[in-house]
């Protein structure tokens, strides 16, 4: 380990993530949806790359994650996988590909694993989808769970506000988290819930708990790359820290190119054959 960036080039596996939790080493996770970004993220030393269904929003411009299809998720996953050597690559199962029945869920998970050659899949939900989770796990496919704010259920909630603020929802979340661990999920994402609840879940589970808007008491953090690099400036929730202002850098670069083309400055003599 050089500082906090690992110089261990071995592939990150479920086993290594479990060891990281045991020794209290925080897990880094970030989304990527295409080859070029995934290459930068992997070479930076990220532990987990999530091919999130947030691709529906940030890549395709939809207002929710619901429209993205299984074929489109597989396309994004294939592009990412071609770029990655070290990080574990987890792929979101899209809305409609697993909620119906467990047989369909297994078929969708097998398609994702076979056609993209990713390392694991992520599903949103607890007890309601437990049968599907167990069926996918019996095929040897590692599953990352996802509880708290579940964007695929936005039409049920009607809001992207913080979840599990009341006792009833918090107790259900703890129960679901334990069910997912008992079933055999290797990790769990908790999205937008109170920090003390997330910390309690992370302490009670032996599998790594990765948070987004869930405070610092969990085992790792995940963000959407377009948000944290400041490409997507229209999304500023309290939990988001911006690490760059790529929107400004890119706009300035693009506008300079326009000026250079219009003024005939580009290409110059050295830039032609
Ligand atoms: O799709 C996604 O990007 C996610 C993260 C927000 C965890 O599920």
């Amino acid at each position: 380990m050089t500082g906090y960036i690992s110089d261990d080039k071995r592939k990150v596996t479920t086993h290594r993530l479990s060891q990281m939790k045991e020794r209290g080493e925080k897990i880094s996770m970030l989304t990527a949806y295409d080859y070029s970004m995934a290459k930068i993220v992997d070479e930076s030393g990220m532990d987990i790359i999530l091919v999130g269904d947030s691709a529906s929003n940030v890549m395709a411009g939809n207002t929710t994650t619901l429209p993205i299809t299984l074929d489109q998720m597989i396309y994004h996953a294939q592009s990412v996988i071609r770029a990655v050597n070290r990080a574990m690559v987890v792929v979101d199962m899209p809305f409609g590909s697993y909620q119906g029945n467990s047989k369909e869920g297994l078929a969708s998970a097998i398609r994702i694993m076979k056609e993209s050659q990713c390392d694991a899949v992520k599903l949103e939900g607890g007890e309601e989808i437990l049968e599907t989770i167990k069926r996918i796990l019996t095929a040897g496919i590692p599953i990352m769970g996802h509880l708290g704010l579940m964007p695929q259920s936005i039409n049920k909630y009607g809001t992207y506000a913080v979840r599990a603020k009341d006792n009833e929802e918090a107790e259900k979340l703890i129960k679901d988290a334990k069910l997912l661990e008992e079933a055999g999920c290797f990790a769990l994402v908790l999205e937008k819930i109170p920090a003390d609840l997330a910390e309690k879940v992370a302490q009670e589970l032996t599998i790594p708990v990765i948070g987004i808007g869930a405070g610092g008491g969990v085992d790792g953090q995940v963000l959407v790359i377009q948000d944290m690099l400041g490409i997507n400036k229209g999304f500023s929730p309290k939990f988001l820290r911006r690490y760059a202002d790529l929107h400004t850098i890119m706009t300035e670069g693009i506008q300079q190119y326009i000026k250079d083309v219009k003024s005939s400055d580009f290409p110059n003599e050295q830039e032609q054959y």
Side-chain angles (χ1 to χ4, degrees):
M1 178 92 79
T2 317
Y4 289 111
I5 308 290
S6 176
D7 47 24
D8 186 343
K9 299 277 179 264
R10 288 174 307 155
K11 179 86 183 163
V12 177
T13 60
T14 54
H15 178 64
R16 287 185 61 202
L17 292 173
S18 155
Q19 289 177 324
M20 286 166 80
K21 167 140 185 165
E22 264 171 42
R23 62 174 179 261
E25 180 185 337
K26 296 271 185 177
I27 296 165
S28 59
M29 173 163 154
L30 193 60
T31 66
Y33 317 96
D34 67 327
Y35 178 85
S36 314
M37 284 279 204
K39 199 162 173 54
I40 296 171
V41 176
D42 187 46
E43 289 173 359
S44 302
M46 194 64 55
D47 296 316
I48 306 176
I49 294 180
L50 173 66
V51 184
D53 59 356
S54 48
S56 176
N57 307 77
V58 296
M59 300 301 286
N62 294 309
T63 52
T64 73
T65 57
L66 275 68
I68 200 158
T69 65
L70 188 56
D71 284 340
Q72 288 166 340
M73 285 304 297
I74 290 170
Y75 165 79
H76 284 296
Q78 287 170 335
S79 310
V80 167
I81 283 291
R82 281 183 210 116
V84 174
N85 289 314
R86 177 185 177 272
M88 165 183 277
V89 179
V90 179
V91 178
D92 262 338
M93 293 189 63
F95 175 69
S97 71
Y98 62 94
Q99 288 93 345
N101 68 53
S102 60
K103 205 171 162 195
E104 264 178 44
L106 175 60
S108 306
I110 288 177
R111 270 202 67 198
I112 292 174
M113 297 297 290
K114 236 186 209 306
E115 294 177 36
S116 77
Q117 300 186 57
C118 68
D119 303 305
V121 294
K122 178 163 82 58
L123 283 72
E124 294 180 8
E127 197 173 5
E128 308 76 20
I129 58 157
L130 201 60
E131 192 194 320
T132 304
I133 287 195
K134 286 183 176 163
R135 195 156 187 168
I136 294 173
L137 286 165
T138 56
I141 299 173
I143 296 182
M144 176 178 273
H146 183 148
L147 296 171
L149 176 66
M150 293 177 281
Q152 291 179 10
S153 301
I154 184 58
N155 293 319
K156 186 176 100 185
Y157 303 139
T159 166
Y160 284 104
V162 178
R163 302 306 314 175
K165 280 166 93 174
D166 63 71
N167 279 347
E168 198 185 332
E169 199 178 328
E171 273 164 28
K172 173 163 168 38
L173 187 144
I174 294 170
K175 188 173 161 225
D176 280 342
K178 288 184 177 165
L179 285 173
L180 294 179
E181 170 165 277
E182 276 161 30
C185 290
F186 74 93
L188 173 65
V189 165
L190 292 179
E191 181 165 355
K192 223 172 172 188
I193 62 166
D196 53 357
L197 174 62
E199 183 169 3
K200 182 173 156 65
V201 174
Q203 278 169 359
E204 292 189 11
L205 298 194
T206 58
I207 58 172
V209 174
I210 319 280
I212 172 163
V218 288
D219 307 305
Q221 299 292 328
V222 55
L223 286 174
V224 168
I225 192 164
Q226 275 77 0
D227 300 338
M228 58 84 79
L229 289 182
I231 297 174
N232 168 23
K233 280 188 130 176
F235 181 65
S236 310
K238 184 179 172 180
F239 68 78
L240 177 64
R241 187 180 293 181
R242 283 203 205 290
Y243 287 85
D245 181 3
L246 287 198
H247 189 280
T248 303
I249 292 172
M250 290 171 79
T251 304
E252 284 172 2
I254 292 163
Q255 289 186 336
Q256 188 60 50
Y257 168 71
I258 295 170
K259 282 181 198 155
D260 291 351
V261 170
K262 299 243 178 220
S263 66
S264 300
D265 180 83
F266 175 77
N268 62 25
E269 297 243 322
Q270 286 75 48
E271 290 161 336
Q272 54 192 306
Y273 301 99

